[in-house]
Amino acid sequence: GELETCGLSPKLKPLETPVPVGVSVMGADEEAFGRAQAIKQVIREVVDRRQRAEKMQRDAAAGGEQQTADQRFDAFIRKEKSGMERDEEVMDSGDVEPAASSNRPTKYEWEDKYKPRKPRFFNRVKTGFEWNKYNQTHYDHDNPPPKTVQGYKFNIFYPDLIDNTKAPKYVLEASDTEGTVILRFVAGPPYEDVAFKILNREWDKKFGFRCVFDRGIMQLYFNFRRYRYRK
């Protein structure tokens, strides 16, 4: 047949590979689209794994902070117990007033945002001798009268206050038991109010009175006005 110039071999025609029946050939555009989709899927998986890992780290950190707060209060309780005086004792849990009063809300305004929780507390009762006229007549230092409640020391724990710039407050309310009043502590979200039934006596705000909110602990210490024994 006819040869190409320069004595070279004739041009070869490209071989056509037969396509099996039922198999379609992907065009260049389709192949590029497939690669893009595969890359997007890989990116999504990487982002999902990273987000899960970050969430696990946040949860672990939050748990660690809560544990640290609990441990801090446990350490505070141990310190308070070790420093208790002879005339002090831990307040009976039966003095806690869980029932709602006329001044306690049945629902807090912030309940839709935060789940209410009860604050932890460690309270002490101070006891001593009451030297009223009757006891002065019938008793003396060698034969003292029975001890009575002389004051209280309240320690209420609020480590997770949403607004820690506002210190918790306390209010006194009427009680259904004669000779007592309700001492209620009000903090704010996410903490419920906590109340205690105490003796209804005059507080001595000159000696031993303390009302401080520091490092998440509300402290209210007070003694009752008392009579001294005179011979």
Side-chain angles (χ1 to χ4, degrees):
E2 185 178 356
L3 300 177
E4 296 288 341
T5 56
C6 299
L8 300 178
S9 301
K11 291 183 178 181
L12 298 178
K13 294 182 179 181
L15 296 176
E16 294 183 358
T17 303
V19 178
V21 178
V23 177
S24 59
V25 177
M26 181 181 293
D29 293 341
E30 293 177 309
E31 185 176 358
F33 178 78
R35 285 198 300 269
Q37 291 298 105
I39 292 173
K40 288 181 179 180
Q41 180 62 30
V42 172
I43 293 175
R44 280 196 296 268
E45 292 176 356
V46 171
V47 171
D48 288 344
R49 285 197 298 269
R50 181 177 298 173
Q51 289 177 343
R52 287 196 297 269
E54 291 175 351
K55 184 178 184 302
M56 291 177 64
Q57 290 177 350
R58 288 195 300 270
D59 293 343
E65 291 175 359
Q66 182 62 38
Q67 185 180 17
T68 301
D70 289 339
Q71 289 177 343
R72 188 167 68 250
F73 192 63
D74 289 338
F76 173 81
I77 292 177
R78 288 193 297 269
K79 181 180 178 181
E80 289 290 295
K81 286 184 176 179
S82 65
M84 287 179 62
E85 300 176 6
R86 290 185 302 173
D87 58 356
E88 291 181 347
E89 57 187 57
V90 178
M91 191 174 187
D92 191 338
S93 59
D95 292 322
V96 181
E97 287 292 306
S101 72
S102 58
N103 295 327
R104 181 185 185 279
T106 55
K107 182 179 180 180
Y108 299 96
E109 296 178 356
W110 42 263
E111 278 191 33
D112 294 336
K113 286 186 176 181
Y114 311 104
K115 182 179 179 181
R117 71 174 80 165
K118 295 182 182 297
R120 298 181 63 188
F121 52 83
F122 177 72
N123 306 328
R124 288 174 286 173
V125 180
K126 185 175 182 180
T127 61
F129 301 118
E130 182 68 35
W131 292 109
N132 52 35
K133 290 184 178 180
Y134 178 87
N135 287 347
Q136 290 184 46
T137 302
H138 295 82
Y139 299 95
D140 55 35
H141 278 300
D142 296 328
N143 181 31
K147 284 188 175 182
T148 59
V149 174
Q150 299 294 316
Y152 298 92
K153 292 184 177 181
F154 291 93
N155 301 281
I156 318 296
F157 195 46
Y158 300 107
D160 300 317
L161 272 179
I162 301 302
D163 186 359
N164 57 15
T165 62
K166 295 181 180 180
K169 61 182 181 180
Y170 67 88
V171 292
L172 293 174
E173 304 170 355
S175 169
D176 57 0
T177 304
E178 185 178 357
T180 66
V181 292
I182 302 299
L183 173 62
R184 183 176 303 280
F185 290 90
V186 182
Y191 293 102
E192 297 178 351
D193 296 356
V194 59
F196 307 89
K197 183 176 290 186
I198 64 173
L199 292 180
N200 185 15
R201 296 179 55 186
E202 184 181 359
W203 296 10
D204 186 347
K205 293 191 175 182
K206 291 184 178 179
F207 301 100
F209 183 80
R210 175 180 176 84
C211 183
V212 176
F213 179 61
D214 183 42
R215 298 183 182 180
I217 300 179
M218 173 67 177
Q219 293 183 311
L220 177 63
Y221 297 179
F222 59 89
N223 297 319
F224 295 131
R225 290 183 64 87
R226 56 189 299 188
Y227 299 93
R228 301 291 179 178
Y229 173 71
R230 294 180 181 177
K231 291 185 178 180

